[in-house]
Amino acid sequence: MKKTLYCLFFSLCVAGCGESPKESTDTAASADGLPGVTAEVEAYYAANPDFFSFKTPADLPTGLVWENNNHLPEIGSPDAVKGGTQNAALQDFPRTLRTVGPDSNGGFRTFLLDDTGMTMAHLHPETRDLYPGLAESWAIDEAARTVYVKLDPAARFSDGEPVTADDYLFMFWFYRSPYIMAPWYNNFYSTTYTNITRYDDHTISITTRELKPDLDERVLLLRPIPQHFYTDMGDDFSERYQWEFEPTTGAYIIRPEDVRKGRSIALTRNKDWWAKDKKYWRYRFNPDRIQFTVIRDDAKTFEAFKRGDVDQFGLGLAEYWYEKLPDSDPDIQAGYIHKVMYYNQRPRPNFGLWINTAQPLLKDREIRLGINYATNWELVIEKFFRGDNTRMNTGQEGFGDFTHPTITARTFDISKAQAHFAAAGFTERGADGILVNDQGQRLAFTLATGYESLRDVLTILREEAAKAGLELRIEVLDSTVGWKKVQEKQHDIFFTAFGVFLELYPRFWEHYHSDNAYDKAFLEDGSVNPERKLKTQTNNLESFAILEMDQLIERYRRSSDRDEMIQLAHRMTELHHEHASFVPGFYQGFFRIGHWRWLRYPEGFSHKHAQGPGEAFVHWIDSDMKAETEAARRSGERFDPVIRVYDQWAE
Amino acid sequence: MFALTPQTRKKLRRFRQIKRGYYSFLILAGLSALLACGELLINSRALVVSYQGELYFPTYGDFHPGTDFGLDYDYETNYRDLQARFDEADEGNWVLLPLVPYNPYENNAAGGVFRPQPPSAASQHYLGTDTTSRDILARLFYGTRIALLFALGFTLSVYLIGIAIGCAMGYFGGVFDLVLQRVIEIWSNVPFLYMVIIIFSVIPSTVAVPTRISILLLVMVLFSWTGMTYYMRTETYKEKARDYVAAARIIGASNTRIIFRHIMPNVLSTLITFMPFTVVAAISAITALDFLGFGLPVPTPSLGELLKQGTANLRTAPWIVISAFGTLVALLTLVTFIGEAIRESFDPKTFSVYR
């Protein structure tokens, strides 16, 4: 389940992040002998001289302090052995091998790019500091909102071509291009950055529009796009590159012969990978081959895992951890399969009920307060998740200082709920126990979700809410249909969560700014515009529009002072809490897996900020141990059982 | 219209002689009667409550808040708790609960967490509980009731449309027949499952559950009536050429009268023979749709949903799949036996004795 959820989070986030201003393309020049799209790209650079600058190394400012954080702890273990095949399962075959454009936000993107590709620097999974990837070193000029980067001259794409400054210039053209059909990218790369300068083949600088506390991350987490690969860009981009594997800077490539559509796909380790001896990279990406087989049903994947056909299985759901693979399971007791639980600390997906305040009854804060009190998350957490999960208190959990320290979510309380419903005019119970007001209107709302796997949660909430006289009609939708529904703002109450990346501070604009709720929400004098219209296709699922919030968000976006931002974040969280348009749900402060003993992790491995065990690719396949284990299963030989809980990062 | 002619009486006698079908029919009839008054057998509401000398019958009608019986909450009384409380207090108050004191929606976690519990007579979960600790017997019982009602509605509607159109095609023939046949051919090639998915994605969620079930029924009927028309069309063609139809026409009988009074009784055996199989098809279809997640809205009890849970928990909770699968097999077997017996008793060729 976890994997599906995270895929969904990711697609939700990227699919829904705001509007899509189309970048101007009338700069396209006629072909003048250069291959494919090159002329168009160069004309674009020429037409945007403010953005694309070309200088010489002599133009670099003096006094820059170059750093490369080479003092951080290694990632992975020197014991790791290269080789072997890891067997894994996919729920669905990837719809494309592109990493951008239609259908590219599926779960498989993790293996194409997110976890395997390289950027200039990466966040260390234990310390959250940047460690070098494609960059050799970097220097930060806060006053100029600019980061200077020296690219590693050794850096190569998997087809042998070197990584150069040009691939970064091209990246901006590429992500702003209408050909890729990705409005979020078009918008993000047009509005976040204001300049890229090329000093020589391996030196660039990138400037951001706003000075933010995470300026270095905003620049250094950018990846190059191989210009030599995308020579034939055009309106047919999405079809032309549908099944083309882009040359990667990372360790794993996909060979065309390993793509068996609908059935299986495999990653193959690039033995000539340029970074294979670099610090931070040398003990990682160990298996020679990672074979993914499509198994559409979770229950079947589990059976395959139990047979040993799949090396590892996520045991996030309580039913797997406690019942389907209990500690007493013969394979666990014989030490063939290891069970491990890792606590982690990172921004949490904001699971909860998003109440659409644009719906007639839900406009009333009293009703929303009533719904907050009538939602029994405590019961869900205690009896369905068996106490493993934790109640969220706000919509911004896991951001350290940015998370509000004192606000707690409203707990289930029938009498408080009824008091609030009564204040909204719902005083009498009807024949079936549901409250009605004096116009005979029932207190009933639709509670929809796109999470098929969490439907049981909603049925429990429904039964409990009925005690307070609130009827929740449950609607379990296909994830795409559900997403469409909230994007059209047709929901009453929606149960969902947005993907949250390992970011320094939470985002507010997307969810709480009136720009994303209504067209012209307020008049000049600050009063509510009586003719305002709901704005669709945004992530403001609560139709949240409060003038004070808008002002705070704008200050927050402009602010570069960490302390001020923390204060603003707290104030905004308070406003959001008072508005009661979100019922915070739960989060899982850990991840847990079962794996066969031949799939090995470094001794004591537990990354503080990881969201899954495979994220940093520190595991390896011990082929001797695999043969030994298989022989032992036949002969009945036993090993010591391994059931571990790494709780050093428990919150 | 269909008075019992000697011929019909003979058919009924023949039906009674085929024991397997006849007993199946009796069992199914008995089951239907049980299902009709299910609230008295399987329900979380008590049958009778005697409180302070007054008798209450909460099964049907408005809910009783806990305050009616001296409890401190104003939502629906938990009668099982009430019984325990009365027994403890011993003040002469008593509660009479149904055989299975659970409704199909409530999560009753005996072990403290929501998870499948094996069957247990002590907790009165005679078939165990499902993954969120709901009583399986209650869910099966009400799921079966909905499936049977659904099948009944489905069969009646399909027959009504199928007979009317099929007879008209056979009787009028010519261009009318030709055109309608082409229309049916096209219509029957529309993929049914996709239509269900598409239609359900556009129905607004404000629509109440019974209405949603009716819409599902309507969609299924819309895509299932075509099969019936083929048989009716050929039968009517055959009967139309008979002398009695010509005679009726000469007397001046209207088309409607000829179709419904003269032809219909003569093609009845075809109709009745197909009926049980239509019922089977309807039950299977609604179960399959539920299994795939496109059927009855959550949390309506349904056989398909239980089957799905069962297959996902095959190792850890085999009682779920056993109950659901057993019920489905029993139900379909009963209907099929009845169907075979009907076919046999309506078959004029008595030498093909059904054993």
Side-chain angles (χ1 to χ4, degrees), chain A residues 299 302-303 306 319 323-324 379 382-384 386 414 418 429-434 446 452 455-456 459-460 462-463 466-468 473-476 481 485 490 492, chain B residues 45 61-63 74-76 103 105-107 109 112-116 131-132 134 201 203-208 212 293 297-299 305 308-309 311-313 315-316:
Chain A
F302 182 71
E303 293 302 318
K306 283 280 283 177
E319 57 174 296
E323 265 149 53
K324 294 186 176 168
L379 185 79
E382 185 198 326
K383 295 202 164 174
F384 185 73
R386 305 184 196 193
I414 294 175
Q418 283 181 325
R429 280 179 187 263
D432 54 354
I434 300 302
T446 302
E452 168 71 35
R455 62 198 274 169
D456 290 342
T459 60
I460 297 167
R462 173 193 153 94
E463 287 299 301
K467 289 184 181 167
R473 296 195 206 100
I474 296 173
E475 195 178 44
V476 179
V481 177
K485 185 185 175 101
Q490 286 171 347
D492 287 349
Chain B
R45 288 185 176 182
D62 290 5
F63 85 108
D74 68 345
Y75 50 87
E76 169 113 47
N103 74 36
Y105 300 108
E106 61 186 333
N107 315 100
V113 291
F114 293 142
R115 59 173 217 169
T131 50
T132 47
R134 294 177 292 201
S201 68
I203 295 177
S205 52
T206 41
V207 176
R212 289 172 71 88
V298 182
E305 196 249 1
K308 189 175 184 172
Q309 277 193 23
T311 49
N313 296 280
R315 273 173 198 266
T316 45

XYZ file of all heavy atoms in Angstrom, chain A residues 299 302-303 306 319 323-324 379 382-384 386 414 418 429-434 446 452 455-456 459-460 462-463 466-468 473-476 481 485 490 492, chain B residues 45 61-63 74-76 103 105-107 109 112-116 131-132 134 201 203-208 212 293 297-299 305 308-309 311-313 315-316:
640
model
N -1.839 -9.077 -2.460
C -1.871 -10.379 -1.788
C -0.984 -11.371 -2.536
O -0.292 -12.187 -1.932
C -3.306 -10.886 -1.705
N 2.669 -10.694 -1.943
C 3.075 -11.227 -0.645
C 3.371 -12.723 -0.741
O 4.355 -13.212 -0.184
C 1.999 -10.943 0.403
C 2.367 -11.416 1.770
C 3.355 -10.774 2.489
C 1.759 -12.530 2.320
C 3.713 -11.230 3.745
C 2.114 -12.985 3.575
C 3.102 -12.331 4.290
N 2.520 -13.434 -1.479
C 2.760 -14.874 -1.641
C 4.084 -15.114 -2.363
O 4.845 -16.013 -2.007
C 1.613 -15.532 -2.417
C 0.277 -15.545 -1.673
C 0.364 -16.248 -0.323
O 1.009 -17.304 -0.238
O -0.200 -15.723 0.665
N 6.808 -14.671 0.053
C 6.940 -15.798 0.973
C 7.612 -16.996 0.303
O 8.234 -17.817 0.951
C 5.559 -16.218 1.499
C 5.017 -15.303 2.577
C 5.614 -15.590 3.942
C 4.990 -16.826 4.551
N 5.574 -17.184 5.832
N -1.905 -5.288 9.354
C -2.311 -6.674 9.113
C -1.145 -7.519 8.594
O -1.069 -8.708 8.867
C -3.503 -6.744 8.162
C -3.268 -6.094 6.837
C -4.435 -6.323 5.878
O -4.705 -7.469 5.511
O -5.052 -5.327 5.496
N -0.170 -10.007 11.422
C -0.914 -11.237 11.164
C -0.379 -12.065 10.013
O -0.226 -13.263 10.125
C -2.381 -10.906 10.891
C -3.186 -11.034 12.142
C -4.328 -10.073 12.144
O -5.080 -10.080 11.167
O -4.443 -9.301 13.104
N -0.122 -11.410 8.878
C 0.288 -12.216 7.739
C 1.749 -12.638 7.845
O 2.129 -13.656 7.296
C 0.030 -11.461 6.447
C -1.465 -11.274 6.243
C -1.803 -10.661 4.928
C -3.318 -10.623 4.795
N -3.748 -9.790 3.682
N -9.961 6.329 17.563
C -10.393 4.939 17.442
C -9.711 4.269 16.251
O -9.251 3.127 16.339
C -11.919 4.888 17.271
C -12.502 3.484 17.260
C -12.622 2.946 18.670
C -13.858 3.463 16.587
N -6.107 3.637 17.198
C -5.938 2.629 18.231
C -6.340 1.238 17.750
O -5.634 0.263 17.980
C -6.782 3.023 19.450
C -6.585 2.113 20.644
C -7.730 2.266 21.630
O -8.254 3.387 21.756
O -8.104 1.258 22.257
N -7.487 1.161 17.060
C -8.013 -0.173 16.775
C -7.727 -0.637 15.347
O -7.646 -1.833 15.110
C -9.523 -0.196 17.028
C -9.831 0.024 18.486
C -11.179 -0.511 18.855
C -11.308 -0.630 20.349
N -12.673 -1.021 20.723
N -7.619 0.274 14.422
C -7.352 -0.162 13.042
C -5.846 -0.208 12.790
O -5.319 -1.180 12.262
C -8.053 0.761 12.050
C -7.911 0.305 10.624
C -8.603 -0.805 10.160
C -7.078 0.971 9.750
C -8.462 -1.242 8.860
C -6.944 0.546 8.435
C -7.633 -0.565 7.997
N -3.706 -0.164 15.175
C -3.168 -0.820 16.382
C -2.156 0.030 17.123
O -1.137 -0.458 17.603
C -2.554 -2.155 16.004
C -3.591 -2.969 15.278
C -3.153 -4.313 14.944
N -4.074 -4.822 13.939
C -4.152 -6.060 13.580
N -3.384 -6.931 14.137
N -5.008 -6.442 12.656
N -18.492 13.717 21.581
C -19.858 13.798 21.057
C -20.588 15.032 21.570
O -21.260 15.739 20.814
C -20.646 12.518 21.425
C -20.032 11.336 20.691
C -22.104 12.649 21.060
C -20.628 10.009 21.056
N -22.069 18.005 19.275
C -23.488 18.337 19.244
C -23.736 19.788 19.606
O -24.618 20.426 19.052
C -24.246 17.396 20.167
C -24.427 16.039 19.504
C -25.201 15.083 20.372
O -25.061 15.111 21.590
N -26.002 14.246 19.751
N -32.890 15.174 16.396
C -32.481 13.975 15.679
C -33.671 13.433 14.887
O -34.791 13.399 15.382
C -32.009 12.900 16.644
C -30.577 13.099 17.138
C -30.215 11.993 18.106
N -28.928 12.207 18.736
C -27.783 11.647 18.313
N -27.787 10.870 17.252
N -26.654 11.858 18.946
N -33.407 13.006 13.656
C -34.476 12.418 12.849
C -34.732 10.976 13.261
O -34.154 10.486 14.226
N -35.568 10.307 12.462
C -35.968 8.945 12.810
C -34.779 7.990 12.855
O -34.775 7.001 13.569
C -36.999 8.437 11.814
N -33.737 8.275 12.068
C -32.580 7.377 12.035
C -31.431 7.894 12.891
O -30.326 7.377 12.814
C -32.125 7.189 10.587
C -31.859 8.509 9.897
O -32.141 9.563 10.510
O -31.373 8.507 8.758
N -31.683 8.916 13.698
C -30.658 9.401 14.606
C -29.767 10.476 14.022
O -28.871 10.969 14.687
N -29.998 10.870 12.754
C -29.202 11.921 12.139
C -29.872 13.271 12.427
O -31.100 13.391 12.394
C -29.096 11.690 10.610
C -28.437 10.341 10.320
C -28.329 12.825 9.933
C -27.058 10.159 10.908
N -20.982 14.095 1.953
C -20.275 13.011 1.284
C -18.814 13.046 1.691
O -18.169 14.084 1.625
C -20.384 13.181 -0.234
O -21.754 13.204 -0.565
C -19.715 12.025 -0.932
N -8.502 3.454 -2.316
C -9.240 2.209 -2.181
C -8.775 1.428 -0.947
O -9.577 0.863 -0.211
C -9.012 1.397 -3.467
C -9.452 -0.042 -3.444
C -10.950 -0.212 -3.449
O -11.611 0.615 -4.110
O -11.445 -1.153 -2.799
N -10.356 2.352 2.597
C -11.807 2.501 2.719
C -12.295 2.115 4.098
O -13.264 2.677 4.614
C -12.517 1.688 1.651
C -12.241 0.198 1.769
C -12.579 -0.530 0.508
N -13.980 -0.903 0.486
C -14.583 -1.364 -0.599
N -13.920 -1.480 -1.715
N -15.834 -1.700 -0.572
N -11.640 1.135 4.727
C -12.077 0.697 6.050
C -12.010 1.830 7.065
O -12.826 1.911 7.974
C -11.219 -0.469 6.532
C -11.500 -1.738 5.741
O -12.557 -1.788 5.087
O -10.670 -2.657 5.777
N -15.182 3.768 6.785
C -16.387 3.137 7.333
C -16.383 3.230 8.858
O -17.432 3.352 9.471
C -16.515 1.663 6.900
O -15.380 0.940 7.351
C -16.613 1.531 5.402
N -15.203 3.207 9.450
C -15.138 3.346 10.907
C -15.539 4.778 11.307
O -16.344 4.985 12.214
C -13.724 3.021 11.427
C -13.392 1.555 11.128
C -13.607 3.297 12.910
C -11.937 1.200 11.310
N -17.440 6.745 9.742
C -18.863 6.918 9.490
C -19.697 6.416 10.667
O -20.613 7.081 11.143
C -19.233 6.154 8.215
C -20.694 6.088 7.908
C -20.955 5.062 6.823
N -22.290 4.529 6.933
C -23.321 5.005 6.263
N -23.152 5.971 5.408
N -24.521 4.505 6.427
N -19.363 5.206 11.143
C -20.122 4.631 12.250
C -20.027 5.519 13.493
O -20.994 5.692 14.221
C -19.594 3.231 12.587
C -19.958 2.175 11.558
C -21.460 2.004 11.414
O -22.120 1.676 12.395
O -21.977 2.235 10.296
N -21.995 8.916 13.222
C -23.443 8.763 13.370
C -23.863 8.940 14.828
O -24.966 9.385 15.121
C -23.867 7.391 12.861
N -22.971 8.619 15.754
C -23.294 8.779 17.172
C -23.512 10.244 17.521
O -24.284 10.571 18.410
C -22.166 8.219 18.034
C -22.081 6.717 17.982
C -21.015 6.220 18.926
C -20.926 4.700 18.849
N -19.712 4.212 19.512
N -22.793 11.108 16.813
C -22.958 12.538 17.069
C -24.051 13.128 16.190
O -24.247 14.340 16.155
C -21.636 13.254 16.836
N -21.638 10.098 4.031
C -21.869 9.145 2.946
C -20.523 8.861 2.301
O -19.841 9.764 1.851
C -22.789 9.732 1.884
C -24.171 10.041 2.374
C -25.073 10.267 1.180
N -26.170 11.117 1.553
C -26.238 12.420 1.297
N -25.259 13.003 0.628
N -27.256 13.128 1.682
N -20.173 7.601 2.255
C -18.822 7.269 1.793
C -18.800 7.020 0.302
O -19.684 6.380 -0.248
C -18.303 6.046 2.548
C -18.192 6.432 4.011
C -16.956 5.613 2.017
C -17.861 5.322 4.884
N -17.795 7.556 -0.324
C -17.642 7.360 -1.757
C -16.179 6.979 -2.005
O -15.287 7.792 -1.795
C -17.982 8.665 -2.472
C -18.196 8.511 -3.932
C -18.571 9.831 -4.564
O -17.951 10.852 -4.245
O -19.486 9.843 -5.383
N -15.961 5.747 -2.383
C -14.595 5.309 -2.665
C -14.411 5.336 -4.175
O -15.087 4.620 -4.900
C -14.341 3.897 -2.117
C -12.932 3.448 -2.448
C -14.551 3.874 -0.623
N -10.224 9.393 -10.735
C -11.557 10.004 -10.681
C -11.672 10.884 -9.437
O -12.178 12.006 -9.485
C -12.645 8.912 -10.668
C -14.016 9.528 -10.527
C -12.558 8.065 -11.919
N -12.314 14.934 -9.156
C -13.413 15.492 -8.385
C -12.948 16.645 -7.494
O -13.577 17.707 -7.471
C -14.016 14.380 -7.530
C -15.246 14.785 -6.764
C -15.667 13.637 -5.858
C -16.812 14.047 -4.981
N -18.097 13.564 -5.438
N -15.697 19.717 -6.417
C -17.070 19.230 -6.290
C -17.275 18.410 -5.026
O -18.337 17.851 -4.822
C -17.424 18.364 -7.500
C -17.642 19.174 -8.752
C -17.781 18.286 -9.966
O -17.480 17.102 -9.915
N -18.242 18.867 -11.045
N -17.566 17.483 -0.916
C -17.928 18.061 0.384
C -16.705 17.927 1.291
O -16.127 18.899 1.730
C -19.077 17.282 1.031
C -20.405 17.531 0.352
O -20.476 18.451 -0.480
O -21.366 16.798 0.641
N -30.576 -4.077 16.924
C -31.686 -3.578 17.738
C -32.386 -4.745 18.424
O -32.565 -5.809 17.821
C -32.692 -2.844 16.849
C -32.175 -1.499 16.357
C -33.257 -0.788 15.594
N -32.829 0.546 15.179
C -33.621 1.393 14.522
N -34.855 1.034 14.216
N -33.186 2.574 14.186
N -39.125 1.042 12.841
C -39.511 2.389 13.271
C -38.328 3.225 13.720
O -37.176 2.920 13.420
N -38.640 4.302 14.444
C -37.609 5.261 14.833
C -36.594 4.654 15.796
O -36.889 3.692 16.496
C -38.257 6.475 15.513
C -39.033 7.314 14.517
O -39.122 6.878 13.336
O -39.550 8.367 14.901
N -35.432 5.271 15.829
C -34.398 4.795 16.741
C -34.721 5.261 18.157
O -35.423 6.246 18.353
C -33.031 5.307 16.295
C -32.695 6.679 16.795
C -31.735 6.873 17.778
C -33.348 7.790 16.284
C -31.428 8.140 18.229
C -33.046 9.054 16.742
C -32.084 9.224 17.710
N -27.347 10.198 23.803
C -28.593 10.382 23.064
C -28.509 9.805 21.653
O -29.317 10.109 20.808
C -28.997 11.860 23.025
C -28.048 12.676 22.197
O -26.947 12.175 21.891
O -28.409 13.819 21.831
N -27.467 9.000 21.370
C -27.463 8.295 20.093
C -28.073 6.915 20.260
O -28.468 6.540 21.371
C -26.062 8.232 19.485
C -24.943 7.756 20.385
C -24.666 6.398 20.492
C -24.163 8.661 21.094
C -23.636 5.959 21.295
C -23.125 8.213 21.901
C -22.870 6.859 22.006
O -21.854 6.422 22.797
N -28.174 6.195 19.163
C -28.849 4.900 19.180
C -28.325 3.994 20.298
O -27.125 3.823 20.481
C -28.635 4.215 17.821
C -29.041 2.779 17.800
C -30.230 2.515 16.903
O -30.215 3.009 15.764
O -31.162 1.826 17.331
N -25.600 -5.704 13.635
C -26.026 -5.266 12.309
C -24.813 -5.319 11.384
O -23.681 -5.456 11.837
C -26.705 -3.887 12.374
C -25.733 -2.760 12.585
O -24.618 -2.781 12.067
N -26.127 -1.769 13.366
N -23.158 -3.234 9.780
C -22.278 -2.072 9.630
C -21.346 -1.854 10.813
O -20.307 -1.233 10.679
C -23.113 -0.806 9.443
C -23.994 -0.867 8.232
C -25.364 -1.012 8.360
C -23.438 -0.798 6.953
C -26.176 -1.083 7.239
C -24.235 -0.875 5.836
C -25.612 -1.011 5.978
O -26.391 -1.095 4.868
N -21.741 -2.319 11.995
C -20.991 -1.900 13.178
C -19.688 -2.675 13.327
O -19.611 -3.862 13.041
C -21.847 -2.035 14.432
C -22.285 -3.456 14.684
C -23.248 -3.536 15.853
O -23.177 -2.676 16.736
O -24.067 -4.455 15.873
N -18.661 -1.956 13.771
C -17.364 -2.570 14.029
C -17.343 -2.978 15.488
O -17.287 -2.140 16.363
C -16.235 -1.564 13.776
C -16.428 -0.791 12.499
O -16.889 0.344 12.524
N -16.105 -1.395 11.389
N -15.181 -4.777 17.900
C -13.874 -5.387 18.096
C -13.801 -6.038 19.457
O -13.576 -5.379 20.467
C -12.778 -4.348 17.962
N -10.151 -5.865 20.911
C -9.508 -4.568 21.099
C -9.013 -3.951 19.814
O -8.921 -2.742 19.712
N -8.677 -4.743 18.796
C -8.286 -4.155 17.510
C -9.222 -4.681 16.428
O -9.817 -5.742 16.565
C -6.827 -4.490 17.125
C -5.858 -3.785 18.022
C -6.594 -5.981 17.147
N -9.341 -3.894 15.345
C -10.185 -4.316 14.233
C -9.413 -5.314 13.391
O -8.452 -4.944 12.721
C -10.581 -3.118 13.375
C -11.490 -2.169 14.088
C -11.373 -0.807 13.911
C -12.479 -2.647 14.925
C -12.211 0.068 14.576
C -13.328 -1.782 15.588
C -13.190 -0.412 15.415
N -9.800 -6.531 13.445
C -9.161 -7.538 12.614
C -10.101 -8.727 12.523
O -11.036 -8.849 13.315
C -7.827 -7.955 13.214
C -7.971 -8.512 14.612
C -6.674 -9.051 15.086
N -6.913 -10.245 15.874
C -5.950 -11.051 16.257
N -4.725 -10.824 15.865
N -6.200 -12.093 16.983
N -9.883 -9.625 11.571
C -10.789 -10.765 11.441
C -10.726 -11.642 12.677
O -9.638 -11.962 13.150
C -10.230 -11.503 10.216
C -9.339 -10.545 9.520
C -8.821 -9.617 10.560
N -12.452 -7.927 8.170
C -11.221 -7.214 8.517
C -11.448 -6.005 9.408
O -10.520 -5.542 10.056
C -10.493 -6.737 7.251
O -11.446 -6.058 6.447
C -9.907 -7.889 6.488
N -12.661 -5.444 9.427
C -12.896 -4.354 10.367
C -13.872 -4.789 11.452
O -14.647 -3.995 11.960
C -13.427 -3.092 9.672
O -14.464 -3.489 8.796
C -12.342 -2.383 8.914
N -16.602 -6.577 11.513
C -18.042 -6.593 11.323
C -18.481 -8.050 11.233
O -17.728 -8.903 10.755
C -18.423 -5.842 10.042
C -18.104 -4.363 10.130
C -18.420 -3.652 8.847
N -17.545 -4.059 7.771
C -17.340 -3.321 6.678
N -17.955 -2.179 6.530
N -16.540 -3.760 5.735
N -18.704 7.204 -12.581
C -17.797 8.308 -12.278
C -18.489 9.663 -12.432
O -18.000 10.660 -11.937
C -16.568 8.238 -13.180
O -16.948 8.496 -14.500
N -21.945 10.127 -11.730
C -23.102 10.284 -10.830
C -22.674 11.103 -9.612
O -21.700 10.756 -8.954
C -23.617 8.913 -10.365
C -24.164 8.138 -11.552
C -24.685 9.073 -9.310
C -24.618 6.759 -11.186
N -23.368 12.186 -9.327
C -22.965 12.975 -8.160
C -23.156 12.190 -6.878
O -24.058 11.366 -6.754
C -23.902 14.184 -8.201
C -25.021 13.797 -9.078
C -24.529 12.754 -10.021
N -22.258 12.461 -5.924
C -22.248 11.653 -4.714
C -23.415 11.970 -3.795
O -23.673 11.242 -2.846
C -20.953 11.911 -3.978
O -20.807 13.292 -3.816
N -24.117 13.064 -4.076
C -25.239 13.420 -3.208
C -26.391 12.425 -3.353
O -27.274 12.366 -2.515
C -25.762 14.814 -3.563
O -25.767 14.934 -4.978
C -24.886 15.895 -2.978
N -26.350 11.656 -4.448
C -27.397 10.668 -4.667
C -27.348 9.615 -3.558
O -26.283 9.120 -3.211
C -27.163 9.997 -6.042
C -28.169 8.909 -6.277
C -27.229 11.036 -7.131
N -28.527 9.295 -3.010
C -28.568 8.362 -1.882
C -28.256 6.937 -2.328
O -28.349 6.623 -3.514
C -29.945 8.415 -1.228
N -28.495 4.930 -5.966
C -27.290 4.468 -6.673
C -27.425 3.005 -7.070
O -27.039 2.607 -8.158
C -26.050 4.670 -5.792
C -25.671 6.115 -5.623
C -24.567 6.267 -4.596
N -23.301 5.762 -5.103
C -22.432 6.510 -5.795
N -22.727 7.749 -6.076
N -21.313 6.005 -6.201
N -14.938 -3.772 -7.401
C -15.019 -2.453 -6.793
C -15.899 -1.470 -7.542
O -15.846 -0.274 -7.296
N -22.397 0.697 -3.525
C -21.577 1.680 -2.812
C -21.190 1.208 -1.406
O -21.963 0.522 -0.750
C -22.474 2.916 -2.752
C -23.831 2.471 -3.133
C -23.729 1.193 -3.860
N -20.000 1.598 -0.969
C -19.513 1.308 0.385
C -20.446 1.997 1.374
O -20.872 3.119 1.101
C -18.093 1.886 0.543
C -17.527 1.560 1.898
C -17.195 1.382 -0.565
N -20.775 1.466 2.512
C -20.400 0.162 3.046
C -21.506 -0.866 2.913
O -21.651 -1.710 3.784
C -20.147 0.492 4.518
C -21.117 1.596 4.820
C -21.462 2.281 3.537
N -17.916 -8.090 -2.105
C -16.954 -7.394 -1.257
C -16.344 -8.377 -0.254
O -15.147 -8.340 0.024
C -17.674 -6.248 -0.541
C -16.768 -5.225 0.051
C -16.787 -5.240 1.555
O -17.502 -6.077 2.142
O -16.075 -4.437 2.153
N -13.821 -10.547 -1.959
C -12.572 -9.817 -2.171
C -11.735 -9.807 -0.895
O -10.538 -10.101 -0.918
C -12.928 -8.387 -2.577
C -11.755 -7.580 -3.033
C -12.270 -6.259 -3.520
C -11.187 -5.398 -4.081
N -11.760 -4.213 -4.708
N -12.377 -9.483 0.216
C -11.667 -9.523 1.498
C -11.122 -10.905 1.763
O -10.003 -11.070 2.245
C -12.644 -9.203 2.630
C -12.877 -7.765 2.858
C -13.590 -7.576 4.192
O -13.527 -8.409 5.074
N -14.261 -6.462 4.333
N -10.271 -13.329 -0.368
C -9.116 -13.729 -1.170
C -7.864 -12.985 -0.720
O -6.770 -13.500 -0.841
C -9.348 -13.463 -2.656
O -9.827 -12.144 -2.806
C -10.350 -14.430 -3.241
N -8.034 -11.767 -0.186
C -6.864 -11.027 0.278
C -6.352 -11.570 1.611
O -5.233 -11.290 2.004
C -7.191 -9.549 0.405
N -7.188 -12.318 2.330
C -6.784 -12.836 3.635
C -6.914 -14.355 3.673
O -7.329 -14.928 4.668
C -7.651 -12.221 4.741
C -7.450 -10.732 4.833
O -6.489 -10.267 5.403
N -8.336 -9.977 4.222
N -4.830 -16.833 3.879
C -4.080 -17.577 4.886
C -4.540 -17.242 6.289
O -4.688 -18.112 7.129
C -2.604 -17.177 4.828
C -1.781 -17.930 3.873
C -0.424 -17.237 3.881
N 0.355 -17.597 2.715
C 1.237 -18.579 2.719
N 1.431 -19.282 3.791
N 1.916 -18.846 1.626
N -4.727 -15.947 6.544
C -4.944 -15.533 7.926
C -6.389 -15.622 8.358
O -6.657 -15.745 9.543
C -4.436 -14.104 8.139
O -4.889 -13.313 7.050
C -2.939 -14.063 8.204
